[in-house]
Amino acid sequence: MAAGSESASSGTPFDDLGIAVASREPLAPHTWLGIGGAAGYFCEPVDVDALARIARRCHERGISLRVVGGGSNILVSSAGYPGMVVRLSAPAFCTIAVEKPAITAGAGAKLVHVVSAAVQAGLAGLEMLVGIPGTVGGAVVGNAGSRGGDVGARVSAVTVMLADGTIEIRQGSALAFQSRWSNLDDVLVIACRFELDEESPDLLTKRMQKQWIVERSEQPSGTRAVAMMFKDPLGTTAESLIEQAGGRDMRVGAASVYGPHANYVVAGAGCLSDDVRGLVERVRSAVRDKLGVELTPLIEVW
Ligand SMILES: Cc1cc2nc3c(=O)[nH]c(=O)nc-3n(C[C@H](O)[C@H](O)[C@H](O)COP(=O)(O)OP(=O)(O)OC[C@H]3O[C@@H](n4cnc5c(N)ncnc54)[C@H](O)[C@@H]3O)c2cc1C
């Protein structure tokens, strides 16, 4: 559904808000894996005020609310998600403002666009994130990162919306980031400010291109129906543990481990959510049984 479209369904708890809300919106097209059921309600608010009205209504009626960003780290179950799913795709949520040596970006902006804007402006500190799919919101909430570092290290302030629609700016000790985790998992992220270092755009471009080549060579090619399965444990990688445990050739139904980089699952034709869940569990058990390491899933099941 396009942002601000007029295709609101009748008979929803949101009808009197004047905001287009769809019922039973299939979530598969909004995720990289491309599988799973529908959202009870779905909306692409045009601005912060519309988002606040949706959040307040959900809060009042006890309807759970989640944001889908780029959908690169979500596995939607076959039953779908019964609450409200919002997507911050409207231009109001996708702005990128360079204010040297900082950048402020809307939560709906693509991470790759923010990385490029930083590099072009000669601002260092985000270039190692090139190649990580998804949005600023998804990256900050999950503290996305690569071998070169995590996004959280550069976050200086985050504008969030609470369940009742109020806005807060979190900074300093109110922000906590750990490996693929932040303390922003119970709020809606609206925008984020990154504190960066000034550097030559030419050097930065070279560094970003190098990183881009590494990232792309590791990611599955030829399909978007993929997801990263596990967080890297301290001091090693999930990929190497899965290989050591013999997980490289594992499959469940139409879900299979991506051989060249064993921490990815690929959803083949006809794949079901349960296939992916089953494969993640099978791989996890193999690593636990053979190596005594408990892997933590990165992918989030809805
Ligand atoms: C090919 C591939 C390569 C990947 N490589 C990496 C990698 O190198 N490093 C890495 O860390 N990850 C990697 N990932 C995982 C994924 O890309 C990251 O976790 C990414 O940051 C998720 O962003 P997203 O916008 O797609 O979030 P989504 O998948 O849409 O959402 C993830 C979570 O964030 C929440 N969320 C999203 N936006 C908001 C918001 N505005 N407010 C509140 N909550 C929000 C969602 O509700 C959900 O809980 C990879 C995934 C794929 C498919």
Side-chain angles (χ1 to χ4, degrees), residues 67 69-74 132-135 137-139 141 144-145 180 187 189 215 264 300 302:
V67 184
S72 62
N73 202 34
I74 293 170
I132 300 180
T135 59
V141 168
R180 307 293 163 263
V187 292
V189 172
E215 272 287 328
Y264 287 106
E300 199 182 298
W302 282 17

mmCIF file with all atom_site columns, all heavy atoms in Angstrom, residues 67 69-74 132-135 137-139 141 144-145 180 187 189 215 264 300 302, ligand 1:
data_model
loop_
_atom_site.group_PDB
_atom_site.id
_atom_site.type_symbol
_atom_site.label_atom_id
_atom_site.label_alt_id
_atom_site.label_comp_id
_atom_site.label_asym_id
_atom_site.label_entity_id
_atom_site.label_seq_id
_atom_site.pdbx_PDB_ins_code
_atom_site.Cartn_x
_atom_site.Cartn_y
_atom_site.Cartn_z
_atom_site.occupancy
_atom_site.B_iso_or_equiv
_atom_site.pdbx_formal_charge
_atom_site.auth_seq_id
_atom_site.auth_comp_id
_atom_site.auth_asym_id
_atom_site.auth_atom_id
_atom_site.pdbx_PDB_model_num
ATOM   1   N N   . VAL A 1 67  ? 7.217  -2.122  13.942 1.00 0.00 ? 67  VAL A N   1
ATOM   2   C CA  . VAL A 1 67  ? 7.687  -1.459  12.715 1.00 0.00 ? 67  VAL A CA  1
ATOM   3   C C   . VAL A 1 67  ? 8.370  -2.503  11.846 1.00 0.00 ? 67  VAL A C   1
ATOM   4   O O   . VAL A 1 67  ? 9.182  -3.291  12.351 1.00 0.00 ? 67  VAL A O   1
ATOM   5   C CB  . VAL A 1 67  ? 8.727  -0.365  13.042 1.00 0.00 ? 67  VAL A CB  1
ATOM   6   C CG1 . VAL A 1 67  ? 9.140  0.376   11.772 1.00 0.00 ? 67  VAL A CG1 1
ATOM   7   C CG2 . VAL A 1 67  ? 8.188  0.617   14.069 1.00 0.00 ? 67  VAL A CG2 1
ATOM   8   N N   . GLY A 1 69  ? 11.083 -2.548  8.976  1.00 0.00 ? 69  GLY A N   1
ATOM   9   C CA  . GLY A 1 69  ? 12.020 -1.671  8.282  1.00 0.00 ? 69  GLY A CA  1
ATOM   10  C C   . GLY A 1 69  ? 12.218 -2.219  6.875  1.00 0.00 ? 69  GLY A C   1
ATOM   11  O O   . GLY A 1 69  ? 11.281 -2.293  6.077  1.00 0.00 ? 69  GLY A O   1
ATOM   12  N N   . GLY A 1 70  ? 13.443 -2.646  6.570  1.00 0.00 ? 70  GLY A N   1
ATOM   13  C CA  . GLY A 1 70  ? 13.695 -3.275  5.275  1.00 0.00 ? 70  GLY A CA  1
ATOM   14  C C   . GLY A 1 70  ? 13.270 -4.733  5.249  1.00 0.00 ? 70  GLY A C   1
ATOM   15  O O   . GLY A 1 70  ? 13.312 -5.378  4.205  1.00 0.00 ? 70  GLY A O   1
ATOM   16  N N   . GLY A 1 71  ? 12.889 -5.268  6.391  1.00 0.00 ? 71  GLY A N   1
ATOM   17  C CA  . GLY A 1 71  ? 12.443 -6.665  6.447  1.00 0.00 ? 71  GLY A CA  1
ATOM   18  C C   . GLY A 1 71  ? 13.562 -7.662  6.206  1.00 0.00 ? 71  GLY A C   1
ATOM   19  O O   . GLY A 1 71  ? 13.309 -8.817  5.859  1.00 0.00 ? 71  GLY A O   1
ATOM   20  N N   . SER A 1 72  ? 14.812 -7.246  6.435  1.00 0.00 ? 72  SER A N   1
ATOM   21  C CA  . SER A 1 72  ? 15.929 -8.159  6.152  1.00 0.00 ? 72  SER A CA  1
ATOM   22  C C   . SER A 1 72  ? 16.286 -9.037  7.344  1.00 0.00 ? 72  SER A C   1
ATOM   23  O O   . SER A 1 72  ? 17.140 -9.911  7.235  1.00 0.00 ? 72  SER A O   1
ATOM   24  C CB  . SER A 1 72  ? 17.166 -7.362  5.706  1.00 0.00 ? 72  SER A CB  1
ATOM   25  O OG  . SER A 1 72  ? 17.603 -6.495  6.729  1.00 0.00 ? 72  SER A OG  1
ATOM   26  N N   . ASN A 1 73  ? 15.627 -8.794  8.482  1.00 0.00 ? 73  ASN A N   1
ATOM   27  C CA  . ASN A 1 73  ? 15.949 -9.607  9.659  1.00 0.00 ? 73  ASN A CA  1
ATOM   28  C C   . ASN A 1 73  ? 14.687 -10.152 10.330 1.00 0.00 ? 73  ASN A C   1
ATOM   29  O O   . ASN A 1 73  ? 14.662 -10.346 11.543 1.00 0.00 ? 73  ASN A O   1
ATOM   30  C CB  . ASN A 1 73  ? 16.767 -8.773  10.658 1.00 0.00 ? 73  ASN A CB  1
ATOM   31  C CG  . ASN A 1 73  ? 17.561 -9.647  11.601 1.00 0.00 ? 73  ASN A CG  1
ATOM   32  O OD1 . ASN A 1 73  ? 18.021 -10.722 11.215 1.00 0.00 ? 73  ASN A OD1 1
ATOM   33  N ND2 . ASN A 1 73  ? 17.687 -9.228  12.838 1.00 0.00 ? 73  ASN A ND2 1
ATOM   34  N N   . ILE A 1 74  ? 13.650 -10.371 9.523  1.00 0.00 ? 74  ILE A N   1
ATOM   35  C CA  . ILE A 1 74  ? 12.370 -10.813 10.081 1.00 0.00 ? 74  ILE A CA  1
ATOM   36  C C   . ILE A 1 74  ? 11.903 -12.081 9.372  1.00 0.00 ? 74  ILE A C   1
ATOM   37  O O   . ILE A 1 74  ? 11.919 -12.158 8.143  1.00 0.00 ? 74  ILE A O   1
ATOM   38  C CB  . ILE A 1 74  ? 11.296 -9.716  9.879  1.00 0.00 ? 74  ILE A CB  1
ATOM   39  C CG1 . ILE A 1 74  ? 11.637 -8.476  10.716 1.00 0.00 ? 74  ILE A CG1 1
ATOM   40  C CG2 . ILE A 1 74  ? 9.913  -10.224 10.246 1.00 0.00 ? 74  ILE A CG2 1
ATOM   41  C CD1 . ILE A 1 74  ? 10.771 -7.282  10.388 1.00 0.00 ? 74  ILE A CD1 1
ATOM   42  N N   . ILE A 1 132 ? 25.167 -3.879  4.361  1.00 0.00 ? 132 ILE A N   1
ATOM   43  C CA  . ILE A 1 132 ? 24.170 -4.415  5.304  1.00 0.00 ? 132 ILE A CA  1
ATOM   44  C C   . ILE A 1 132 ? 22.809 -3.906  4.849  1.00 0.00 ? 132 ILE A C   1
ATOM   45  O O   . ILE A 1 132 ? 22.580 -2.700  4.787  1.00 0.00 ? 132 ILE A O   1
ATOM   46  C CB  . ILE A 1 132 ? 24.455 -3.971  6.755  1.00 0.00 ? 132 ILE A CB  1
ATOM   47  C CG1 . ILE A 1 132 ? 25.839 -4.455  7.196  1.00 0.00 ? 132 ILE A CG1 1
ATOM   48  C CG2 . ILE A 1 132 ? 23.370 -4.479  7.698  1.00 0.00 ? 132 ILE A CG2 1
ATOM   49  C CD1 . ILE A 1 132 ? 26.229 -4.071  8.615  1.00 0.00 ? 132 ILE A CD1 1
ATOM   50  N N   . PRO A 1 133 ? 21.903 -4.823  4.508  1.00 0.00 ? 133 PRO A N   1
ATOM   51  C CA  . PRO A 1 133 ? 20.608 -4.359  4.006  1.00 0.00 ? 133 PRO A CA  1
ATOM   52  C C   . PRO A 1 133 ? 19.766 -3.724  5.118  1.00 0.00 ? 133 PRO A C   1
ATOM   53  O O   . PRO A 1 133 ? 20.025 -3.948  6.294  1.00 0.00 ? 133 PRO A O   1
ATOM   54  C CB  . PRO A 1 133 ? 19.933 -5.640  3.503  1.00 0.00 ? 133 PRO A CB  1
ATOM   55  C CG  . PRO A 1 133 ? 20.796 -6.776  3.845  1.00 0.00 ? 133 PRO A CG  1
ATOM   56  C CD  . PRO A 1 133 ? 22.006 -6.274  4.578  1.00 0.00 ? 133 PRO A CD  1
ATOM   57  N N   . GLY A 1 134 ? 18.743 -2.995  4.712  1.00 0.00 ? 134 GLY A N   1
ATOM   58  C CA  . GLY A 1 134 ? 17.762 -2.507  5.678  1.00 0.00 ? 134 GLY A CA  1
ATOM   59  C C   . GLY A 1 134 ? 17.822 -1.013  5.902  1.00 0.00 ? 134 GLY A C   1
ATOM   60  O O   . GLY A 1 134 ? 18.488 -0.269  5.181  1.00 0.00 ? 134 GLY A O   1
ATOM   61  N N   . THR A 1 135 ? 17.110 -0.594  6.928  1.00 0.00 ? 135 THR A N   1
ATOM   62  C CA  . THR A 1 135 ? 16.907 0.821   7.217  1.00 0.00 ? 135 THR A CA  1
ATOM   63  C C   . THR A 1 135 ? 17.738 1.268   8.423  1.00 0.00 ? 135 THR A C   1
ATOM   64  O O   . THR A 1 135 ? 18.269 0.437   9.172  1.00 0.00 ? 135 THR A O   1
ATOM   65  C CB  . THR A 1 135 ? 15.433 1.061   7.572  1.00 0.00 ? 135 THR A CB  1
ATOM   66  O OG1 . THR A 1 135 ? 15.105 0.253   8.707  1.00 0.00 ? 135 THR A OG1 1
ATOM   67  C CG2 . THR A 1 135 ? 14.500 0.723   6.414  1.00 0.00 ? 135 THR A CG2 1
ATOM   68  N N   . GLY A 1 137 ? 16.426 2.576   11.105 1.00 0.00 ? 137 GLY A N   1
ATOM   69  C CA  . GLY A 1 137 ? 15.712 2.098   12.292 1.00 0.00 ? 137 GLY A CA  1
ATOM   70  C C   . GLY A 1 137 ? 16.093 0.672   12.648 1.00 0.00 ? 137 GLY A C   1
ATOM   71  O O   . GLY A 1 137 ? 16.446 0.374   13.798 1.00 0.00 ? 137 GLY A O   1
ATOM   72  N N   . GLY A 1 138 ? 16.065 -0.208  11.662 1.00 0.00 ? 138 GLY A N   1
ATOM   73  C CA  . GLY A 1 138 ? 16.409 -1.613  11.899 1.00 0.00 ? 138 GLY A CA  1
ATOM   74  C C   . GLY A 1 138 ? 17.849 -1.758  12.351 1.00 0.00 ? 138 GLY A C   1
ATOM   75  O O   . GLY A 1 138 ? 18.162 -2.536  13.258 1.00 0.00 ? 138 GLY A O   1
ATOM   76  N N   . ALA A 1 139 ? 18.749 -0.971  11.736 1.00 0.00 ? 139 ALA A N   1
ATOM   77  C CA  . ALA A 1 139 ? 20.177 -1.075  12.074 1.00 0.00 ? 139 ALA A CA  1
ATOM   78  C C   . ALA A 1 139 ? 20.435 -0.606  13.501 1.00 0.00 ? 139 ALA A C   1
ATOM   79  O O   . ALA A 1 139 ? 21.195 -1.240  14.245 1.00 0.00 ? 139 ALA A O   1
ATOM   80  C CB  . ALA A 1 139 ? 21.000 -0.240  11.090 1.00 0.00 ? 139 ALA A CB  1
ATOM   81  N N   . VAL A 1 141 ? 18.218 -0.288  16.086 1.00 0.00 ? 141 VAL A N   1
ATOM   82  C CA  . VAL A 1 141 ? 17.553 -1.142  17.083 1.00 0.00 ? 141 VAL A CA  1
ATOM   83  C C   . VAL A 1 141 ? 18.353 -2.435  17.296 1.00 0.00 ? 141 VAL A C   1
ATOM   84  O O   . VAL A 1 141 ? 18.515 -2.902  18.424 1.00 0.00 ? 141 VAL A O   1
ATOM   85  C CB  . VAL A 1 141 ? 16.102 -1.451  16.654 1.00 0.00 ? 141 VAL A CB  1
ATOM   86  C CG1 . VAL A 1 141 ? 15.494 -2.550  17.510 1.00 0.00 ? 141 VAL A CG1 1
ATOM   87  C CG2 . VAL A 1 141 ? 15.250 -0.200  16.754 1.00 0.00 ? 141 VAL A CG2 1
ATOM   88  N N   . ALA A 1 144 ? 23.336 -3.142  14.197 1.00 0.00 ? 144 ALA A N   1
ATOM   89  C CA  . ALA A 1 144 ? 23.946 -3.868  13.077 1.00 0.00 ? 144 ALA A CA  1
ATOM   90  C C   . ALA A 1 144 ? 25.418 -3.522  12.967 1.00 0.00 ? 144 ALA A C   1
ATOM   91  O O   . ALA A 1 144 ? 25.852 -2.428  13.354 1.00 0.00 ? 144 ALA A O   1
ATOM   92  C CB  . ALA A 1 144 ? 23.227 -3.504  11.777 1.00 0.00 ? 144 ALA A CB  1
ATOM   93  N N   . GLY A 1 145 ? 26.183 -4.447  12.443 1.00 0.00 ? 145 GLY A N   1
ATOM   94  C CA  . GLY A 1 145 ? 27.607 -4.165  12.296 1.00 0.00 ? 145 GLY A CA  1
ATOM   95  C C   . GLY A 1 145 ? 28.317 -5.197  11.450 1.00 0.00 ? 145 GLY A C   1
ATOM   96  O O   . GLY A 1 145 ? 27.726 -6.182  11.011 1.00 0.00 ? 145 GLY A O   1
ATOM   97  N N   . ARG A 1 180 ? 24.775 -6.794  18.510 1.00 0.00 ? 180 ARG A N   1
ATOM   98  C CA  . ARG A 1 180 ? 23.472 -7.001  17.832 1.00 0.00 ? 180 ARG A CA  1
ATOM   99  C C   . ARG A 1 180 ? 22.303 -6.807  18.793 1.00 0.00 ? 180 ARG A C   1
ATOM   100 O O   . ARG A 1 180 ? 21.302 -7.527  18.728 1.00 0.00 ? 180 ARG A O   1
ATOM   101 C CB  . ARG A 1 180 ? 23.388 -8.383  17.176 1.00 0.00 ? 180 ARG A CB  1
ATOM   102 C CG  . ARG A 1 180 ? 24.505 -8.721  16.260 1.00 0.00 ? 180 ARG A CG  1
ATOM   103 C CD  . ARG A 1 180 ? 24.552 -7.865  14.989 1.00 0.00 ? 180 ARG A CD  1
ATOM   104 N NE  . ARG A 1 180 ? 25.859 -7.982  14.393 1.00 0.00 ? 180 ARG A NE  1
ATOM   105 C CZ  . ARG A 1 180 ? 26.842 -7.093  14.592 1.00 0.00 ? 180 ARG A CZ  1
ATOM   106 N NH1 . ARG A 1 180 ? 26.647 -6.001  15.320 1.00 0.00 ? 180 ARG A NH1 1
ATOM   107 N NH2 . ARG A 1 180 ? 28.012 -7.260  14.026 1.00 0.00 ? 180 ARG A NH2 1
ATOM   108 N N   . VAL A 1 187 ? 10.589 0.728   21.819 1.00 0.00 ? 187 VAL A N   1
ATOM   109 C CA  . VAL A 1 187 ? 10.115 2.039   21.352 1.00 0.00 ? 187 VAL A CA  1
ATOM   110 C C   . VAL A 1 187 ? 10.110 2.055   19.824 1.00 0.00 ? 187 VAL A C   1
ATOM   111 O O   . VAL A 1 187 ? 10.658 1.155   19.186 1.00 0.00 ? 187 VAL A O   1
ATOM   112 C CB  . VAL A 1 187 ? 11.044 3.176   21.852 1.00 0.00 ? 187 VAL A CB  1
ATOM   113 C CG1 . VAL A 1 187 ? 10.951 3.337   23.357 1.00 0.00 ? 187 VAL A CG1 1
ATOM   114 C CG2 . VAL A 1 187 ? 12.486 2.946   21.407 1.00 0.00 ? 187 VAL A CG2 1
ATOM   115 N N   . VAL A 1 189 ? 11.628 3.896   16.761 1.00 0.00 ? 189 VAL A N   1
ATOM   116 C CA  . VAL A 1 189 ? 12.719 4.815   16.426 1.00 0.00 ? 189 VAL A CA  1
ATOM   117 C C   . VAL A 1 189 ? 12.252 5.690   15.267 1.00 0.00 ? 189 VAL A C   1
ATOM   118 O O   . VAL A 1 189 ? 11.779 5.193   14.238 1.00 0.00 ? 189 VAL A O   1
ATOM   119 C CB  . VAL A 1 189 ? 13.999 4.038   16.049 1.00 0.00 ? 189 VAL A CB  1
ATOM   120 C CG1 . VAL A 1 189 ? 15.066 4.993   15.518 1.00 0.00 ? 189 VAL A CG1 1
ATOM   121 C CG2 . VAL A 1 189 ? 14.528 3.289   17.258 1.00 0.00 ? 189 VAL A CG2 1
ATOM   122 N N   . GLU A 1 215 ? 31.702 -7.653  1.504  1.00 0.00 ? 215 GLU A N   1
ATOM   123 C CA  . GLU A 1 215 ? 30.317 -7.977  1.908  1.00 0.00 ? 215 GLU A CA  1
ATOM   124 C C   . GLU A 1 215 ? 29.594 -8.739  0.802  1.00 0.00 ? 215 GLU A C   1
ATOM   125 O O   . GLU A 1 215 ? 28.960 -9.756  1.035  1.00 0.00 ? 215 GLU A O   1
ATOM   126 C CB  . GLU A 1 215 ? 29.539 -6.682  2.197  1.00 0.00 ? 215 GLU A CB  1
ATOM   127 C CG  . GLU A 1 215 ? 29.655 -6.196  3.615  1.00 0.00 ? 215 GLU A CG  1
ATOM   128 C CD  . GLU A 1 215 ? 28.874 -7.021  4.626  1.00 0.00 ? 215 GLU A CD  1
ATOM   129 O OE1 . GLU A 1 215 ? 27.811 -7.560  4.273  1.00 0.00 ? 215 GLU A OE1 1
ATOM   130 O OE2 . GLU A 1 215 ? 29.342 -7.138  5.774  1.00 0.00 ? 215 GLU A OE2 1
ATOM   131 N N   . TYR A 1 264 ? 23.925 -18.140 6.409  1.00 0.00 ? 264 TYR A N   1
ATOM   132 C CA  . TYR A 1 264 ? 22.722 -17.669 5.723  1.00 0.00 ? 264 TYR A CA  1
ATOM   133 C C   . TYR A 1 264 ? 21.782 -18.840 5.461  1.00 0.00 ? 264 TYR A C   1
ATOM   134 O O   . TYR A 1 264 ? 22.218 -19.946 5.121  1.00 0.00 ? 264 TYR A O   1
ATOM   135 C CB  . TYR A 1 264 ? 23.057 -17.046 4.368  1.00 0.00 ? 264 TYR A CB  1
ATOM   136 C CG  . TYR A 1 264 ? 23.728 -15.692 4.454  1.00 0.00 ? 264 TYR A CG  1
ATOM   137 C CD1 . TYR A 1 264 ? 25.085 -15.558 4.193  1.00 0.00 ? 264 TYR A CD1 1
ATOM   138 C CD2 . TYR A 1 264 ? 22.998 -14.549 4.789  1.00 0.00 ? 264 TYR A CD2 1
ATOM   139 C CE1 . TYR A 1 264 ? 25.703 -14.321 4.266  1.00 0.00 ? 264 TYR A CE1 1
ATOM   140 C CE2 . TYR A 1 264 ? 23.616 -13.309 4.860  1.00 0.00 ? 264 TYR A CE2 1
ATOM   141 C CZ  . TYR A 1 264 ? 24.963 -13.195 4.598  1.00 0.00 ? 264 TYR A CZ  1
ATOM   142 O OH  . TYR A 1 264 ? 25.583 -11.980 4.676  1.00 0.00 ? 264 TYR A OH  1
ATOM   143 N N   . GLU A 1 300 ? 14.606 -12.509 13.656 1.00 0.00 ? 300 GLU A N   1
ATOM   144 C CA  . GLU A 1 300 ? 13.520 -12.357 14.629 1.00 0.00 ? 300 GLU A CA  1
ATOM   145 C C   . GLU A 1 300 ? 12.248 -12.977 14.057 1.00 0.00 ? 300 GLU A C   1
ATOM   146 O O   . GLU A 1 300 ? 11.874 -12.688 12.921 1.00 0.00 ? 300 GLU A O   1
ATOM   147 C CB  . GLU A 1 300 ? 13.329 -10.859 14.816 1.00 0.00 ? 300 GLU A CB  1
ATOM   148 C CG  . GLU A 1 300 ? 12.612 -10.479 16.062 1.00 0.00 ? 300 GLU A CG  1
ATOM   149 C CD  . GLU A 1 300 ? 12.433 -8.967  16.110 1.00 0.00 ? 300 GLU A CD  1
ATOM   150 O OE1 . GLU A 1 300 ? 13.440 -8.249  16.147 1.00 0.00 ? 300 GLU A OE1 1
ATOM   151 O OE2 . GLU A 1 300 ? 11.281 -8.529  16.114 1.00 0.00 ? 300 GLU A OE2 1
ATOM   152 N N   . TRP A 1 302 ? 8.300  -13.347 13.861 1.00 0.00 ? 302 TRP A N   1
ATOM   153 C CA  . TRP A 1 302 ? 7.047  -12.640 14.166 1.00 0.00 ? 302 TRP A CA  1
ATOM   154 C C   . TRP A 1 302 ? 5.897  -13.616 14.083 1.00 0.00 ? 302 TRP A C   1
ATOM   155 O O   . TRP A 1 302 ? 5.860  -14.467 13.239 1.00 0.00 ? 302 TRP A O   1
ATOM   156 C CB  . TRP A 1 302 ? 6.811  -11.513 13.170 1.00 0.00 ? 302 TRP A CB  1
ATOM   157 C CG  . TRP A 1 302 ? 7.643  -10.286 13.435 1.00 0.00 ? 302 TRP A CG  1
ATOM   158 C CD1 . TRP A 1 302 ? 8.756  -10.189 14.206 1.00 0.00 ? 302 TRP A CD1 1
ATOM   159 C CD2 . TRP A 1 302 ? 7.434  -8.967  12.882 1.00 0.00 ? 302 TRP A CD2 1
ATOM   160 N NE1 . TRP A 1 302 ? 9.229  -8.901  14.174 1.00 0.00 ? 302 TRP A NE1 1
ATOM   161 C CE2 . TRP A 1 302 ? 8.454  -8.139  13.383 1.00 0.00 ? 302 TRP A CE2 1
ATOM   162 C CE3 . TRP A 1 302 ? 6.487  -8.436  11.997 1.00 0.00 ? 302 TRP A CE3 1
ATOM   163 C CZ2 . TRP A 1 302 ? 8.550  -6.789  13.027 1.00 0.00 ? 302 TRP A CZ2 1
ATOM   164 C CZ3 . TRP A 1 302 ? 6.581  -7.118  11.652 1.00 0.00 ? 302 TRP A CZ3 1
ATOM   165 C CH2 . TRP A 1 302 ? 7.607  -6.291  12.176 1.00 0.00 ? 302 TRP A CH2 1
HETATM 166 C C1  . LIG B 2 .   ? 22.019 -10.570 2.912  1.00 0.00 ? 1   LIG B C1  1
HETATM 167 C C2  . LIG B 2 .   ? 22.012 -10.093 4.356  1.00 0.00 ? 1   LIG B C2  1
HETATM 168 C C3  . LIG B 2 .   ? 23.200 -9.630  4.917  1.00 0.00 ? 1   LIG B C3  1
HETATM 169 C C4  . LIG B 2 .   ? 23.208 -9.171  6.239  1.00 0.00 ? 1   LIG B C4  1
HETATM 170 N N1  . LIG B 2 .   ? 24.383 -8.732  6.764  1.00 0.00 ? 1   LIG B N1  1
HETATM 171 C C5  . LIG B 2 .   ? 24.392 -8.255  8.035  1.00 0.00 ? 1   LIG B C5  1
HETATM 172 C C6  . LIG B 2 .   ? 25.627 -7.797  8.619  1.00 0.00 ? 1   LIG B C6  1
HETATM 173 O O1  . LIG B 2 .   ? 26.694 -7.824  8.011  1.00 0.00 ? 1   LIG B O1  1
HETATM 174 N N2  . LIG B 2 .   ? 25.581 -7.317  9.887  1.00 0.00 ? 1   LIG B N2  1
HETATM 175 C C7  . LIG B 2 .   ? 24.407 -7.250  10.593 1.00 0.00 ? 1   LIG B C7  1
HETATM 176 O O2  . LIG B 2 .   ? 24.430 -6.778  11.737 1.00 0.00 ? 1   LIG B O2  1
HETATM 177 N N3  . LIG B 2 .   ? 23.243 -7.694  10.074 1.00 0.00 ? 1   LIG B N3  1
HETATM 178 C C8  . LIG B 2 .   ? 23.209 -8.197  8.822  1.00 0.00 ? 1   LIG B C8  1
HETATM 179 N N4  . LIG B 2 .   ? 22.029 -8.662  8.295  1.00 0.00 ? 1   LIG B N4  1
HETATM 180 C C9  . LIG B 2 .   ? 20.801 -8.606  9.087  1.00 0.00 ? 1   LIG B C9  1
HETATM 181 C C10 . LIG B 2 .   ? 19.961 -7.330  8.804  1.00 0.00 ? 1   LIG B C10 1
HETATM 182 O O3  . LIG B 2 .   ? 20.247 -6.792  7.551  1.00 0.00 ? 1   LIG B O3  1
HETATM 183 C C11 . LIG B 2 .   ? 20.187 -6.257  9.864  1.00 0.00 ? 1   LIG B C11 1
HETATM 184 O O4  . LIG B 2 .   ? 19.754 -6.761  11.101 1.00 0.00 ? 1   LIG B O4  1
HETATM 185 C C12 . LIG B 2 .   ? 19.461 -4.947  9.536  1.00 0.00 ? 1   LIG B C12 1
HETATM 186 O O5  . LIG B 2 .   ? 19.987 -3.916  10.343 1.00 0.00 ? 1   LIG B O5  1
HETATM 187 C C13 . LIG B 2 .   ? 17.947 -5.032  9.716  1.00 0.00 ? 1   LIG B C13 1
HETATM 188 O O6  . LIG B 2 .   ? 17.382 -3.816  9.258  1.00 0.00 ? 1   LIG B O6  1
HETATM 189 P P1  . LIG B 2 .   ? 15.899 -3.779  8.641  1.00 0.00 ? 1   LIG B P1  1
HETATM 190 O O7  . LIG B 2 .   ? 15.539 -2.364  8.382  1.00 0.00 ? 1   LIG B O7  1
HETATM 191 O O8  . LIG B 2 .   ? 15.781 -4.701  7.486  1.00 0.00 ? 1   LIG B O8  1
HETATM 192 O O9  . LIG B 2 .   ? 15.060 -4.308  9.892  1.00 0.00 ? 1   LIG B O9  1
HETATM 193 P P2  . LIG B 2 .   ? 13.817 -5.295  9.874  1.00 0.00 ? 1   LIG B P2  1
HETATM 194 O O10 . LIG B 2 .   ? 14.264 -6.645  9.464  1.00 0.00 ? 1   LIG B O10 1
HETATM 195 O O11 . LIG B 2 .   ? 12.687 -4.698  9.135  1.00 0.00 ? 1   LIG B O11 1
HETATM 196 O O12 . LIG B 2 .   ? 13.457 -5.283  11.427 1.00 0.00 ? 1   LIG B O12 1
HETATM 197 C C14 . LIG B 2 .   ? 14.350 -5.842  12.370 1.00 0.00 ? 1   LIG B C14 1
HETATM 198 C C15 . LIG B 2 .   ? 13.883 -5.420  13.772 1.00 0.00 ? 1   LIG B C15 1
HETATM 199 O O13 . LIG B 2 .   ? 14.030 -4.005  13.902 1.00 0.00 ? 1   LIG B O13 1
HETATM 200 C C16 . LIG B 2 .   ? 12.783 -3.426  14.273 1.00 0.00 ? 1   LIG B C16 1
HETATM 201 N N5  . LIG B 2 .   ? 12.684 -2.105  13.667 1.00 0.00 ? 1   LIG B N5  1
HETATM 202 C C17 . LIG B 2 .   ? 12.937 -1.751  12.385 1.00 0.00 ? 1   LIG B C17 1
HETATM 203 N N6  . LIG B 2 .   ? 12.759 -0.425  12.250 1.00 0.00 ? 1   LIG B N6  1
HETATM 204 C C18 . LIG B 2 .   ? 12.380 0.055   13.453 1.00 0.00 ? 1   LIG B C18 1
HETATM 205 C C19 . LIG B 2 .   ? 12.037 1.340   13.945 1.00 0.00 ? 1   LIG B C19 1
HETATM 206 N N7  . LIG B 2 .   ? 12.051 2.428   13.168 1.00 0.00 ? 1   LIG B N7  1
HETATM 207 N N8  . LIG B 2 .   ? 11.679 1.455   15.242 1.00 0.00 ? 1   LIG B N8  1
HETATM 208 C C20 . LIG B 2 .   ? 11.648 0.376   16.066 1.00 0.00 ? 1   LIG B C20 1
HETATM 209 N N9  . LIG B 2 .   ? 11.957 -0.868  15.652 1.00 0.00 ? 1   LIG B N9  1
HETATM 210 C C21 . LIG B 2 .   ? 12.329 -1.021  14.358 1.00 0.00 ? 1   LIG B C21 1
HETATM 211 C C22 . LIG B 2 .   ? 11.725 -4.386  13.728 1.00 0.00 ? 1   LIG B C22 1
HETATM 212 O O14 . LIG B 2 .   ? 10.488 -4.201  14.413 1.00 0.00 ? 1   LIG B O14 1
HETATM 213 C C23 . LIG B 2 .   ? 12.393 -5.697  14.028 1.00 0.00 ? 1   LIG B C23 1
HETATM 214 O O15 . LIG B 2 .   ? 12.232 -5.974  15.397 1.00 0.00 ? 1   LIG B O15 1
HETATM 215 C C24 . LIG B 2 .   ? 22.007 -9.157  6.997  1.00 0.00 ? 1   LIG B C24 1
HETATM 216 C C25 . LIG B 2 .   ? 20.817 -9.637  6.411  1.00 0.00 ? 1   LIG B C25 1
HETATM 217 C C26 . LIG B 2 .   ? 20.822 -10.099 5.121  1.00 0.00 ? 1   LIG B C26 1
HETATM 218 C C27 . LIG B 2 .   ? 19.530 -10.588 4.519  1.00 0.00 ? 1   LIG B C27 1
#
